[in-house]
Amino acid sequence: MLRLLCFTAHPDDEAGGFGGTLLRYSERGVETHVICLTPGQAATHRGIAKSDEELSALRREEFNAASKLLKVSHGEVLDYPDARLDRQDFLAVVGDLTRRVRQIKPHVMMSMGTEGAITAHPDHSMVSLFATMACHWAARTNRFADQLENGLATHQTQKLYYASALFTMPQRQPVSLAPTTTIIHLEQREIDIKIAAFKCHTTQAPLFGFFEDTIRRRGNLEVFHLANACTPRKAEAETDLFAGVEDR
Ligand SMILES: [Zn+2]
């Protein structure tokens, strides 16, 4: 069975950045995994939450509801601190994510771009860097070798993608996006479910209008940058994240 692993930073990134693609591949029979690094407790919009702990709990529930709509096979929210991913121990986080890559053994991985996606959020940049190193180092016998002594095997992911975009938000910090190599054209039904999944994040309700408006205007595409592949190649235009991937 083919497996797809997506690393995100905050609950709602899975729907906003990857929703249509996660749904598409799940419905094609791919086992889909989403690992979100933080419970989003530093968010500006906080719903009825009176504390960071309450907001974390609410946002975990919202993530689970969104994941269900997107037919995610396995979704998990980790406990790294929102808005502080740039202050974590780099090696410790990469070790944690490497272990998860070795356990899940994805054929394809995706994460956000190093620039931090169109919102330029530093957590988005950091999850990109952590996921990238976990992707590379999971394959190596000389990285986190203690994991290999404890029953895990090395795993080489065949392709790593960064989510990208074909527009920027001028009112935000400047971002230099990774060039699009891969375009997923969403059907109307997939767009509707993606918007519904985003709206599962009820604590973020003040964002719904802007999100839906943006998606309805520009959201029939989810675009990606093929950052790494296990076989050397020239960049070419793709419409399938699993193009050329072997089921092994
Ligand atoms: Zn985010």
Side-chain angles (χ1 to χ4, degrees), residues 1-3 29-30 105-107 158 242 244-248:
M1 189 180 203
L2 291 169
R3 289 174 296 277
V30 173
K105 300 191 277 284
H107 297 77
Q158 294 179 46
F242 284 79
V245 169
E246 289 179 36
D247 190 357
R248 55 176 157 86

Side-chain angles (χ1 to χ4, degrees), residues 2-89:
L2 291 169
R3 289 174 296 277
L4 174 63
L5 170 59
C6 178
F7 281 113
T8 63
H10 313 112
D12 77 15
D13 292 339
E14 78 296 334
F18 306 91
T21 301
L22 286 167
L23 178 68
R24 165 86 51 99
Y25 284 98
S26 181
E27 289 186 334
R28 276 196 194 168
V30 173
E31 187 178 286
T32 59
H33 297 254
V34 178
I35 297 177
C36 176
L37 265 62
T38 85
Q41 70 270 51
T44 306
H45 305 297
R46 306 181 68 83
I48 57 168
K50 294 182 192 66
S51 65
D52 285 1
E53 290 69 30
E54 282 186 26
L55 184 57
S56 297
L58 286 171
R59 297 200 74 184
R60 285 178 193 279
E61 286 173 21
E62 293 167 357
F63 173 89
N64 290 338
S67 295
K68 199 169 172 187
L69 275 189
L70 299 173
K71 301 185 180 175
V72 171
S73 312
H74 300 276
E76 189 173 0
V77 178
L78 306 184
D79 215 14
Y80 291 102
D82 184 13
R84 297 182 67 86
L85 287 184
D86 56 347
R87 277 160 275 183
Q88 303 308 297
D89 182 311

Side-chain angles (χ1 to χ4, degrees), residues 49-141:
K50 294 182 192 66
S51 65
D52 285 1
E53 290 69 30
E54 282 186 26
L55 184 57
S56 297
L58 286 171
R59 297 200 74 184
R60 285 178 193 279
E61 286 173 21
E62 293 167 357
F63 173 89
N64 290 338
S67 295
K68 199 169 172 187
L69 275 189
L70 299 173
K71 301 185 180 175
V72 171
S73 312
H74 300 276
E76 189 173 0
V77 178
L78 306 184
D79 215 14
Y80 291 102
D82 184 13
R84 297 182 67 86
L85 287 184
D86 56 347
R87 277 160 275 183
Q88 303 308 297
D89 182 311
F90 186 80
L91 207 57
V93 181
V94 174
D96 181 12
L97 302 196
T98 297
R99 180 172 49 79
R100 293 168 192 277
V101 172
R102 287 170 171 169
Q103 287 168 336
I104 293 167
K105 300 191 277 284
H107 297 77
V108 173
M109 283 175 59
M110 52 185 184
S111 190
M112 310 179 90
T114 56
E115 77 291 332
I118 52 170
T119 59
H121 196 301
D123 283 349
H124 296 165
S125 296
M126 293 312 299
V127 73
S128 179
L129 297 172
F130 295 140
T132 299
M133 293 327 299
C135 179
H136 293 308
W137 288 352
R140 308 221 180 128
T141 57

Side-chain angles (χ1 to χ4, degrees), residues 72-245:
V72 171
S73 312
H74 300 276
E76 189 173 0
V77 178
L78 306 184
D79 215 14
Y80 291 102
D82 184 13
R84 297 182 67 86
L85 287 184
D86 56 347
R87 277 160 275 183
Q88 303 308 297
D89 182 311
F90 186 80
L91 207 57
V93 181
V94 174
D96 181 12
L97 302 196
T98 297
R99 180 172 49 79
R100 293 168 192 277
V101 172
R102 287 170 171 169
Q103 287 168 336
I104 293 167
K105 300 191 277 284
H107 297 77
V108 173
M109 283 175 59
M110 52 185 184
S111 190
M112 310 179 90
T114 56
E115 77 291 332
I118 52 170
T119 59
H121 196 301
D123 283 349
H124 296 165
S125 296
M126 293 312 299
V127 73
S128 179
L129 297 172
F130 295 140
T132 299
M133 293 327 299
C135 179
H136 293 308
W137 288 352
R140 308 221 180 128
T141 57
N142 62 353
R143 302 305 290 170
F144 307 112
D146 56 311
Q147 295 175 2
L148 306 174
E149 288 158 13
N150 292 312
L152 288 175
T154 57
H155 173 75
Q156 186 170 25
T157 300
Q158 294 179 46
K159 288 167 134 182
L160 169 66
Y161 287 96
Y162 296 146
S164 194
L166 295 169
F167 61 94
T168 57
M169 298 201 293
Q171 70 277 28
R172 298 280 188 142
Q173 292 291 325
V175 290
S176 300
L177 292 159
T180 291
T181 58
T182 309
I183 298 180
I184 307 293
H185 284 266
L186 302 182
E187 298 163 9
Q188 191 56 50
R189 186 185 68 88
E190 294 169 323
I191 295 170
D192 292 343
I193 294 173
K194 172 178 175 161
I195 291 171
F198 192 84
K199 289 184 173 178
C200 290
H201 296 276
T202 49
T203 56
Q204 307 307 302
L207 303 176
F208 289 174
F210 173 75
F211 180 79
E212 182 160 3
D213 183 52
T214 306
I215 295 295
R216 298 260 179 231
R217 271 190 299 127
R218 314 190 190 244
N220 62 334
L221 306 178
E222 283 181 4
V223 301
F224 297 90
H225 171 76
L226 175 61
N228 299 98
C230 67
T231 51
R233 67 188 67 195
K234 292 179 179 169
E236 49 185 73
E238 298 177 323
T239 55
D240 177 10
L241 302 182
F242 284 79
V245 169

